[in-house]
Every structure is written in C-alpha cells, then in structure tokens.
C-alpha cells in the first residue's frame, strides 16, 4: 500500500505516459480519456482497492469496473503498475491476438477484468449486481465503478442509481471522471459538478465533489466512500488529456493516438517514463463456505399448465437445492411467476422494478461473483436490454433469461406486450441457447438444465395454459427435439413447431390424418442449438416441412430450420414453408389471433393440402 | 371549454365508470390504473388541451401521450366524452378487430392516437420529439405526457428528462400519476412526492406537487405548466382505483377487470352512469407554410469512400432540398458523419448525447408531427433502443436509422463496438427495410430513397473506405440487387455479399477465375426486401450459393437468402453455404479480422473450391 502524495502523483504521471505509449504504438486508442483518470486510478489501486493481484477471482477482493471502457489504456497501464502484465504486453495493445483489446474484455489471459465494457452506461448496473452478490455472501468488500461524464446521460445509469439506493447498496462507489469533453465536443453539463451531485443526491446517494487531480482530495473521498454508509457518488473534476499542453482540455483529441513526435514531446512534458510498481492492499482472507448441493424435486404436471407457471415453480423447487441461484425480475413477478422463487427464498430474489437494463446488468455482475442468475420479464421487454445481452456475451457471462408472454397468443393486451422478435434477437447472440418448451414437464426439465448452462440462455414461456404432452420422466436434452407424431415412411409432410404452435400442429395432424394425409410432427423445443439430424431426416423422408411459429416470420424457428438444413453445405432438396406473423396484430383472443396470423391448426392443415396439391 | 369544478368532478366520475364498464365488458384491462388518472384527464381535456377533435392530426393541436398505455380505458372513456367515439365503440374494447386495443395504437380508425404506448417509459422521449417538432415550426402548442409512477424507474425517462431541460423544451409537460402501486405491489418511492419532485428539479425541470384528485389544484398546476417556462413535471398524488371502496389503494387489483356484480356496485358507488360531453378548446388556426421542395444534387464519388461518410454527405446535400428532414445523433456525429447534415442545417439537427433510447423515441415524436427523421449511431448501440424500434413499428411510424461501424471490419476497437446482430434485429421488425450499400454512390442513392420510405428503414454503413464500384448514374431500387460479375451460363457458383464482403467476394471471384472456375457475384444491397428472383436464378443456374457477411451467422444476409429461396413453398435444390462470424472477435486490423472470421476473399475462394470438390 502506498500512502504518499508525492508517489501518487508520480504514479499518475506514469499512467499518463504509459497510456500514451501503448496507444501510440497501436496507432489508435483513447489516451486523453485515460489521462483524466490517472490520479483517480493511482490513488485507488495504491491504497483503497483491496485486491490480490495473484488471485484476481478471489471472492474476497474488491471489484473495479471501468465503465468508460474506451479509457482502457489507463487500466492496462495500471495492470502493469500492479505487476499483472509486463511492459511488453502493454505495448501489444489493440494488436490482433492480444488480450489487451481496444475496450476491456475478460478473455482468459485477462483474469483481472471481470466484465466487458465499451458500450457506455453499463458499468454501474453491473457494479450494482456485484454489490448485491457481496451482500448475499456477507463480504466486507466494495465495488468501485469508474464512469465517464458522457455516459451519465444513459438511462441505464439512472436505473442503477435508483435501485442502488433503494436496495441500500452501501458498498457501491461510483467515481465520475468529469473531464467535460465527449467524443465530438462538450458534454451536456460540462464541469457543472454541483448539477451531477444534485442528481445523485436526489437519487438517494451520498454525493462528494473533488478535484480529480488532487491526490489528497481523492484519498479523503475514497476513505469516506469506504465507510459503508454509501452508495457514494464521487464527482471528480478532471482535465481530459491532463498534463500535456497539446492535449489538456482540448477538443478534437477524443479517441486519437499521438504520433511518435507528439508522444515523445508529451512524455517529456510528463517527466519521462517511470517504472513504479505498487501492490494493492490485500483483502482479508475469509474462508468461504462451500455451496452445499441439496437435493430438490422438480415439479411434475399431470394437467394443463402455463409454461410460465411451470418456469416459476421449477425455480421455486430449485431454490432450496442450489444456493448459488439468484433470480431478478422487472416488476412482473406475478406474471413471469418468479414470485414462486421469491416465496421460497426471498433473500436471493431481487426486485429490479421496471428497469430491464439494470436487471440484466446486475445479472452480469452477480454471475461475475459466482452466482447463477435467472432474469425474467415479458419477452417483449427483453428487447429493452438487448445491448446488455450483447455485452454479456462479450463478457463471457453465464446468465439465464426468461421471456414470458410470447407471441400473438397473449391475446387482448395487444402488440406492445407481444414478444414477436425475441427468438431472432436471442439467436443472434454468440453461443446462446434458445429454448421454447410446449408443456409444464418440458419446461421444468429445461429450466433445471439452464442452471448449469454456460453463456447466455433463454427460455420462452407462454401466457395461457397448454395441455400436458409429456410425462414427468421424459428427458429434454439441449439440442434435441421430439418427434411427437409419425407413421414412419408414410408421412407426407412434417410439421415443425414449438411452444404454443405445437398444439396447433398436432390438431392439424389429426385433421390431415382423418383426410388420409399422415404427417409427422416435430417439437423443436431447442431452437438453438437445433436438432439438424431430425429435421434433415424429415425433409428427406417427406419432402415438405411446414414450420409454424408465433413470432415474426424473420429470424425465428423457420430461419433456424432453414439454417439447419443448409448447414455444412448440405444439398437442399424439398420444400420448406414458413408460417409466422406477417401483419401487425391487434387485440383479440389467442385463438382468434392465431387464426388471423395463419398459424392455427386450420391454417397449417390448409398449407399442407395446398402444397401437396401443387 | 369547461371551467367548473363541479362539472370536472362529475366528468372524472364518468371516466371512472366508463373505464369500469369497458373493461368489465372485455373481461380484462386496467380499470384501477385508469381511475387514478380520471380527474387529471377530466381537467386536461375540458380546459387545457387545445385540440380540434374533428381535425386530430392538425399541426396546430396540442398533443397528448398516454405513456402509461395500460390505462387505455381512461383514454377511450375520454375520447367518448369529447365525441370522438361512441359508447358502442367504447364497449368493443379489446375485442378482435376493434381499434380500441388493450394498449393504445394509432390504427387508421384511431386518428386521435399519435403513437403506440404500452412498453413503459417511452412516452416522455416521444413527447420530447413532439416538442422539438413544435419548436422547429414555431408552433405555440404544448405536449402533455401522462406517466405512471412505476415507469419512472425506466432509464429512458431520465434520458428524456436530461435532454428536455438541456434543449429548453419549455412546452413539454409531464404529469406523474403517483398512485403508489405497481403491478405486483408498492412502487419504489410510494407516495413520496417530494422525492420525485427533487429528482425532476435536479434534472432541470420545474416541479409541481398536487393532489391528483383535487380539480382546482390540477387546474392551477396545468395553468402554470402552460406558461411556456417549462419543461414542467407535475407530481400528482393519486389513488389507484379511486372512488370505489373495493379497489381504492388496494393491492391485487392491477390489470384486473371487475366482474359484473362488482362493476354494478362500483358504478353505483360512483353515482351511476353519466353522459357528459365536452369540447376541448380549439387551437388557434395557424396557416402552415407548405414545405418547399428544393432541388438538390446528391454527392457522387469517383474514388474510394467510406459508406458512412457518403451517408453523411448525402444527408448534407438533401438538407437543402427537403425541409422536413431532421437528423438525430447519439453523440457520435463525427463518426456517423451526421455532422455533415448539422453543418448544412444546424437547426434541424438534434444532438441527443449518449441516450439512444431517447434519440429513437424523439424520432418517433418528430415523425408524428410530419417530420422525416434520420437517427444515427454505431450499429452496435442501436441494440440499446430495440424496444423503441419495436414500438415504433407498432406506432406505424416512419423513421430512418443508420448504424455505422458494422462488423469485425471496424478493427482495433474490439467487439463492444462491432455491430454483429444489427441485421438480425432490424429484419425482425414488421415492414422494415434493411439496406447495406457497398460503395459511396450506392449509399447516396439509397439514403435519398430512404427519405420517402414508409415504416422503419435502416442503412448499415462501414467504417473503412471501400473502392468505388458503381457509377454515379447507377440506380439502386429497394428490393433489387446487382449481378456485378457473371459469365452467364458458365458460372459454377454464385457469391452473395453486401457491403464490405462484396469486395472480398470480388477478389475471390478473381482468384477462382484465374483457376478456371468462373463464379457469379451478387450484391444484395437490399437485404430486406431481398431480390428473390436473382437469387433463385443463381441457385438454379449454378447449384451453389456462398453467402459471406460481416455479421453473426444467425439472422443476417445468409438467413435472408435462405428465406428468399424457400419463400412461397418453392422447391429447394442446390447448396447454400453461409459464411459469417461464429467466434467472439478481439482487436486487430480489418483484414486480419475478416480472415480470422472466415469471410475474407481467401476463405470464400477456399469454400467454393471445397464445395465443388465434394
């Protein structure tokens, strides 16, 4: 631990110099946005952050999130100063294959980075999740989030501000690097520190204002912020490009590296290169109790059941069996049925109110500290947080999402509440798993598997009750499917469906069978990964697939089926008809709307007949 | 105009009664959320809203946005009171085919509704856009947004709060229906009116606190709010389910209709049915100047040019020719190049800072008043506003989006800044147009067409310069494509690409041609609608399509191509290989990353050779 203003100032200059060096070597990057934060980083890592550099994933550590991810040079320069990376590694910044990416990402070689940043306004929601995880585990550690001032406009910041004070996240510390300049010019509030402080206070935070280049003021503020009486919002007035006359408080220098001559002069003005190393204060070691694995019994169903309710009941059952499970909801827990988990274990349920971005960011923060979060809202409202889901994938996070109220089948509430793009959105997330169970038993089995899935997984649930289709002992492997009806070689077409349209497909199959047209029915409960083999067999054996889904025609199950058939350059031979929603729905009953949309049993059967007549 | 407290109170009771009547008839809906707002609506529509019921789209009208869209019964009941709809129509609420949807939507039969609501927290951003449009046209009208208290957590609200005060939107009035209860229980702040007022003040608004059931207080607040010294935030303390002892301030009544007995008793308690009609104050008629159509010359290019720069220059050229054009940007105008429009016509450029949701909501508000908005940011950050784009489609809005910095081709900045899901996201919007030009001339032609497109249109632009491919006189019809290389019948494969991969495909075609393998190259600059015929011809004539795109493998051009081939139940015959991004990228040069992702010329050529060898 360093506790010396002279040394802090020297270290800050080193961080400025190294930020310039690595970005000039890369010929790109954000040196000036780094330099405004140099003193804040120097004091934080020298004294206040409790952090074991050799054990960066230790539960006992404080956490640091660089929400203004473009200032990655100052983070990497700090990692060098604490001995995590070498100078040579620092100079690989932004090169192909280097773990020192343009914006921080937790690649395997970078265990000192917990989450990816670079999409602004996400650090505070993530930090809130971390703070909640610490509280759950009764850890005395703190979360420090370094924010830019431009990103303070992002609404997600204010969702986290409201939630953090409401939830009493006393160990959460936001540091605002108020350098006055955004990418293309001055920020909205410039250097109006009192305005930021007033907003933070109004949102229930303790607000402190300091000179962000005065290490003594920084030290005092960080000391106060660590007293456990937060959340604390520190407004630090800083200078973008601090310490170099060419850059300091100048417009036109955002995201620009200095050329070699400029860098040489700048480094000289900063007093040249230094090689200070520091060791952060170690956290107090704290024996962690191993998570006990308890047995639990999944619910089983003998009657009709809404899959959304089965989702909630499965979570409720799992609550006692997996003590790492946590559940977040966006103020609709009596619709998604996460309330069943809340009833079972209220301390591990987080009501995030109507702030979906904050809910998803907090889920990423919670998993960074070893929790297994499920987050649920209406599928339509998950679109509110798509950027957070995208960034969760960049963070290599494992989070589990539930989107209820899928499709036109919600009925009377109308299109604003209907998830019709959720499958498209979730398929286009790297490494995601997309599940869409049809009945209660399938739902319970899939939700249980989600708990141990890596990456971003998603289950789509249905508002209305659906009949029991599967026995309680049926297994539903990820990537599998179920052929729920077939006459074998005699099938003249295959109906492909999942969730609510599976029952329409089964009714269509009944009608067609009565007319002497035997058809196969396939339940693609696993939309991604999808069961290529079963689909290919079906096309080869029947020549006609009809896919019916309660989703826009683009990006959903139909596209997933076509992708599976074409995959690997396989020769396509046959017909694939996609049925989905192609007009804007209104209100109505589920049955009326499915028929209107052309995905009812009647419309599916008609499609098969029309194709076979061709 | 009614200016009588007795009559206002009677009207408020009528609105409560009618809200109960229509929701009980529908057996669903939100009567209690309507009743808390009854007095606010009664006073607003009786006296303060300047509104010509017979000419609801008149530019001179004030605008009303029901941000808490679930309270649609009170809106429809008010529309009945002002003579817009009949009692019979009111009682069609939530029925199949009725324009009185569960949440308000501007279907053709409902000209009194400007925008769809129901996804919470969107009304204020939309209202801000309306207020900005009024200012542009020097109109004396006002925008009234009725918000729920639950939705005050949504970050988008605070983006609009920050932007409205910064932009001096003095004619914007937010009314907070603080009824204390959300869907599943108490809100975060309950009846803490001072807390809401403090937040609003901190964000630069004039805040007023009133009793939301005292018509005199409401009248005084609305009078003050109309003085042009806003924006004004009125915190109205209300009672959910006001006026009925069974419902008033009770939990468990959100989104529930009363049964017939309960309704009868409630209506009796409210004093029975009434048939008050009112006529809102007419706006002052104001002759609008017809928009002059001026000539403009699109830019043309003879050399390499980044399509993002061509986008900006095209907008800059169009600025003088189309006076309805407005442009919004998310603080990256020097990256998207909307700064070229700003330079040409600064008054019609809106800097929305880093608040993408607010930017998109404001675009919807601007178009509701006849403007033609373009909104631009990095394609990756449009994901931040997917819910707003989805709701814009429900609003039947015409907005034009640009997402710059597409794909791994942005290079060193890394994955947080790379748009890799934007095509998937934008395809899954009803009626959307998705464009992806390869060179400067194509970009200019497509951007010019976007100005007159209906619905949601999107152009994807590239960070780096791309060579000139097309002459300045080439036309690019929406839904078309270009066969940029072919030997006719001799082609052994067709390469399908758009944007930056088109140049990789052309290089691959050169290599393959040198090896004696002639291939066709197709530019699908219009990804949606896509040119089915050209793609089907290519598959029929060559038997092999290789699609290469700088996008996740799911949901992008490859899926659009497969959909086109399968469409209408066409018989599939041949091979389609999709090349796209299937691993998480890091930093690197564009060339390194394209090759790593398998979408470089070399990888495309290899794929063709491997398929032909099979």
């Amino acid at each position: 631990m360093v506790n010396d203003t002279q040394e802090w100032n020297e270290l800050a200059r080193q961080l400025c110099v190294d930020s310039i060096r690595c970005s000039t070597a890369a010929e790109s990057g954000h040196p000036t946005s780094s330099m405004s934060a140099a003193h804040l980083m120097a004091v934080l890592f020298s004294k206040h952050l409790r952090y074991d550099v050799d054990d960066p994933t230790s539960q006992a550590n404080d956490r640091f999130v660089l929400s203004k991810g473009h200032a990655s040079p100052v983070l990497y320069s700090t990692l060098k100063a604490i001995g995590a990376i070498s100078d040579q590694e620092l100079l690989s910044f932004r090169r192909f294959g280097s773990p020192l990416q343009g914006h921080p990402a937790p690649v395997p070689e970078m265990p000192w980075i917990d989450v990816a940043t670079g999409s602004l306004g996400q650090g505070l929601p993530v930090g809130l999740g971390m703070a909640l995880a610490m509280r759950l585990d009764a850890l005395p550690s703190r979360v420090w989030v370094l924010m830019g001032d431009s990103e303070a406009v992002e609404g997600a910041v204010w969702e986290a501000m409201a939630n953090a004070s409401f939830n009493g996240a006393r160990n959460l510390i936001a540091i605002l690097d108020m350098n006055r300049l955004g990418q293309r010019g001055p920020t909205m509030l410039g250097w109006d520190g009192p305005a930021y402080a007033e907003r933070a206070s109004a949102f229930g935070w303790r607000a402190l204002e300091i000179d962000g280049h005065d290490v003594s003021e920084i030290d005092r503020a960080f000391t106060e912020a660590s007293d456990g009486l937060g959340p604390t919002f520190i407004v630090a007035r800083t200078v973008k490009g601090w310490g170099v006359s060419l850059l300091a408080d100048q417009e036109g220098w955002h995201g620009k590296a200095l050329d070699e001559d400029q860098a040489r002069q700048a480094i000289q003005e900063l007093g040249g290169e230094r090689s200070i190393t520091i060791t952060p204060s170690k956290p107090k070691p704290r024996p962690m109790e191993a998570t006990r694995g308890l047995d639990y019994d999944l619910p089983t169903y003998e009657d009709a059941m809404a899959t959304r309710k089965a989702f909630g009941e499965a979570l409720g059952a799992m609550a006692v069996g997996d003590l790492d499970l946590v559940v977040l909801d966006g103020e609709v827990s009596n619709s998604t049925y996460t309330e069943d988990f809340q009833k079972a274990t209220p301390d591990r349920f987080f009501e995030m109110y109507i702030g979906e971005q904050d809910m998803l960011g907090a889920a990423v923060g919670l998993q960074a500290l070893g929790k297994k979060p499920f987050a649920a809202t209406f599928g339509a409202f998950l679109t509110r947080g798509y950027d957070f889901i995208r960034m969760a994938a960049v963070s290599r996070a494992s989070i589990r999402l539930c989107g209820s109220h899928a499709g036109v089948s919600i009925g009377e509430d109308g299109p604003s509440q209907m998830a019709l793009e959720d499958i498209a959105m979730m398929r286009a997330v790297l490494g995601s798993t997309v599940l869409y169970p049809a009945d209660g038993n399938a739902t319970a089995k899939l939700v249980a598997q989600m708990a141990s899935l890596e990456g971003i997984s998603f289950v789509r649930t249905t508002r209305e009750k659906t009949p029991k289709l599967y026995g309680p002992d049926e297994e539903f492997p990820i990537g599998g499917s179920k052929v729920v009806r077939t006459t074998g070689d005699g099938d003249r077409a295959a109906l492909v469906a999942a969730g609510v349209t599976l029952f329409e497909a089964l009714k269509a199959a009944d009608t067609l069978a009565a007319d002497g047209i035997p058809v196969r029915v396939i339940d693609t409960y696993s939309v991604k990964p999808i069961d290529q083999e079963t689909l290919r067999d079906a096309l080869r054996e029947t020549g006609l697939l009809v896919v019916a889904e309660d989703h826009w025609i683009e990006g959903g199950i139909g596209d997933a089926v076509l992708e599976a058939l074409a995959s690997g350059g396989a020769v396509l031979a046959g017909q694939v008809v996609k049925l989905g929603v192609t007009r804007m729905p209104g209100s109505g009953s589920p049955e009326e709307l499915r028929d209107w949309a052309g995905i009812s049993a009647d419309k599916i059967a008609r499609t098969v007949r029309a194709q076979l007549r061709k």
Side-chain angles (χ1 to χ4, degrees), chain A:
Chain A
M1 187 176 101
V2 176
N3 198 352
D4 177 296
T5 58
Q6 176 65 19
E7 201 163 334
W8 283 333
N9 282 317
E10 283 298 302
L11 177 57
R13 285 172 179 269
Q14 171 175 314
L15 298 180
C16 291
V17 167
D18 283 350
S19 295
I20 292 169
R21 287 175 64 232
C22 70
S23 51
T24 293
E27 297 178 51
S28 71
H30 298 74
T32 58
S33 303
S34 295
M35 295 156 81
S36 59
H39 295 83
L40 297 164
M41 293 290 281
V43 178
L44 181 60
F45 278 77
S46 297
K47 180 175 173 187
H48 296 275
L49 189 82
R50 296 188 195 136
Y51 193 71
D52 187 342
V53 180
D54 299 322
D55 190 8
T57 61
S58 162
Q59 290 272 12
N61 284 335
D62 280 9
R63 301 283 159 164
F64 173 74
V65 179
L66 182 70
S67 187
K68 50 176 289 186
H70 55 285
S72 56
V74 78
L75 176 60
Y76 299 138
S77 298
T78 304
L79 291 182
K80 177 192 142 184
I82 64 174
I85 63 170
S86 68
D87 195 64
Q88 194 182 353
E89 287 171 297
L90 177 66
L91 296 177
S92 75
F93 178 50
R94 283 175 168 255
R95 300 249 178 251
F96 182 70
S98 169
L100 281 73
Q101 297 186 5
H103 295 74
V107 293
E109 307 92 320
M110 274 282 141
W112 308 279
I113 295 172
D114 293 308
V115 293
T117 50
S119 179
L120 291 170
Q122 300 205 6
L124 204 60
V126 169
L128 172 58
M130 293 172 163
L132 294 174
M134 289 169 180
R135 192 169 63 192
L136 265 187
D137 291 335
L139 293 167
S141 39
R142 291 85 48 103
V143 183
W144 307 79
V145 179
L146 181 62
M147 292 171 54
D149 46 359
S150 276
E151 66 176 320
V153 178
E154 282 287 9
V157 170
W158 299 96
E159 294 177 13
M161 292 293 290
N163 257 323
S165 58
F166 182 77
N167 277 294
R170 304 201 178 286
N171 56 339
L172 180 58
I173 302 152
I175 307 162
L176 188 79
D177 179 3
M178 182 181 64
N179 67 22
R180 190 189 74 83
L181 290 171
Q183 169 172 326
R184 41 122 294 285
T187 60
M188 222 184 250
L189 295 177
W191 270 327
D192 189 352
Y196 287 110
E198 189 187 347
R199 292 182 185 186
S201 297
F203 274 73
W205 287 51
R206 169 171 57 187
L208 308 174
E209 289 180 69
I210 61 170
D211 175 343
H213 298 294
D214 181 325
V215 291
S216 300
E217 281 194 35
I218 296 169
D219 180 38
R220 278 196 297 274
F222 287 178
T223 302
E224 184 174 350
S226 305
D227 66 6
L229 301 175
T232 306
F233 194 91
I234 300 171
V235 183
R237 180 181 167 128
T238 59
V239 175
K240 194 163 179 170
W242 178 90
V244 173
S245 47
L246 176 69
L247 310 173
D249 196 32
Q250 295 300 307
E251 293 194 37
W253 275 102
H254 182 94
K256 271 192 200 156
L258 283 70
D259 67 28
E260 289 190 8
D261 275 351
Q262 291 168 333
R264 202 166 16 248
Q265 286 182 31
I267 291 169
Q268 195 175 6
E269 193 174 341
L270 286 161
E273 294 183 30
R274 294 160 182 80
S275 52
I276 303 167
T277 58
I278 53 169
T279 304
S281 324
K282 285 256 167 66
K284 292 178 191 111
R286 186 170 168 287
M288 293 292 297
E289 285 175 48
T291 299
R292 288 167 299 158
L294 302 182
D295 281 339
Y296 63 86
D297 292 314
L298 276 179
T300 59
Y301 302 101
E302 293 301 328
D303 297 309
M305 166 63 48
T307 57
R308 59 177 172 142
K309 179 64 173 157
F311 164 76
E313 292 183 357
L315 283 184
M318 292 155 67
V320 298
D322 187 340
L323 303 186
D324 289 330
L325 275 189
V326 295
V327 174
L328 306 94
D329 198 286
E331 221 270 307
V332 287
S333 57
N334 54 345
S335 288
T336 59
Y337 285 110
T338 58
E339 66 179 17
D340 290 326
F341 182 91
Q342 182 180 22
K343 284 171 196 158
T345 178
D347 57 319
R348 287 187 278 130
F349 176 85
F350 299 100
E351 177 55 71
M352 304 303 283
Y353 296 87
I354 307 184
E356 294 81 8
Q357 299 186 78
D358 186 39
M359 174 178 78
L360 294 163
V364 171
L366 281 155
Q367 65 86 42
L369 271 79
K371 303 300 172 196
K372 296 182 190 167
F374 277 81
T377 183
F378 284 27
F381 306 140
L382 283 176
T383 59
R384 199 65 160 250
Y386 194 25
D387 195 22
F388 282 75
I389 299 170
R390 179 183 79 84
M391 287 299 294
V394 183
S395 282
R396 281 76 173 163
S398 293
I399 60 174
R400 296 140 200 93
L401 308 179
C402 172
S404 68
H405 292 66
V408 300
S409 296
I410 68 162
E412 291 77 4
D413 267 333
S416 66
Q417 320 291 303
M418 295 171 176
L420 286 163
E421 56 292 291
D422 53 330
I423 296 178
M425 172 175 95
M426 293 307 306
R427 280 181 67 228
V429 172
L430 185 67
S432 63
T433 303
V434 178
L435 305 172
Y436 187 15
D439 82 350
N441 289 319
T443 305
K445 286 289 173 72
L446 288 169
V447 171
Q449 290 177 75
M450 284 172 79
S452 49
L453 281 182
E454 295 205 342
I456 318 296
S457 54
F458 169 65
V459 60
R460 184 185 218 220
T461 63
T462 301
R463 181 173 181 275
E464 41 177 350
K465 284 187 183 179
T466 48
K468 176 195 165 191
L469 186 62
Y470 297 109
D473 296 330
E474 187 90 24
E475 296 300 328
F476 294 83
I478 306 292
S481 68
K482 299 283 175 193
V483 177
V484 289
R485 178 89 46 102
T486 183
T487 60
D489 287 351
D491 296 337
R492 295 184 59 198
L495 311 182
V496 182
V500 76
T501 55
L502 183 62
F503 300 96
E504 302 292 338
L506 283 166
K507 274 181 262 173
D510 288 343
T511 315
L512 290 164
D515 290 355
I517 307 173
V519 299
R520 189 173 301 182
V521 179
I522 301 172
D523 175 5
T524 54
Y525 63 83
S526 179
V527 178
K528 181 183 173 190
I530 199 162
D531 184 352
Q532 277 187 18
E533 201 178 325
T534 298
L535 293 167
R536 286 182 182 185
D537 289 350
L539 186 63
R540 196 180 54 245
E541 290 165 19
T542 71
L544 172 62
L545 301 191
V546 175
V547 188
E549 60 185 317
D550 194 354
H551 187 277
W552 297 131
I553 197 76
E554 296 93 357
I557 302 173
D559 281 4
V561 167
L562 284 169
E563 177 178 46
L565 297 172
S567 176
V571 176
L572 294 168
Q575 291 166 284
V576 179
V577 179
K578 299 201 302 177
L579 301 178
V581 186
T582 57
R583 291 180 293 161
M584 184 58 72
S587 292
S589 74
E591 296 75 19
E592 285 169 331
L593 289 167
R594 282 195 292 267
D595 197 62
W596 167 87
I599 55 173
S600 62
D602 181 51
K603 297 291 164 67
I604 295 171
R606 281 193 208 194
T607 302
V608 171
R609 284 195 201 97
Q611 288 296 319
L612 292 179
R613 267 200 301 273
K614 272 187 185 172

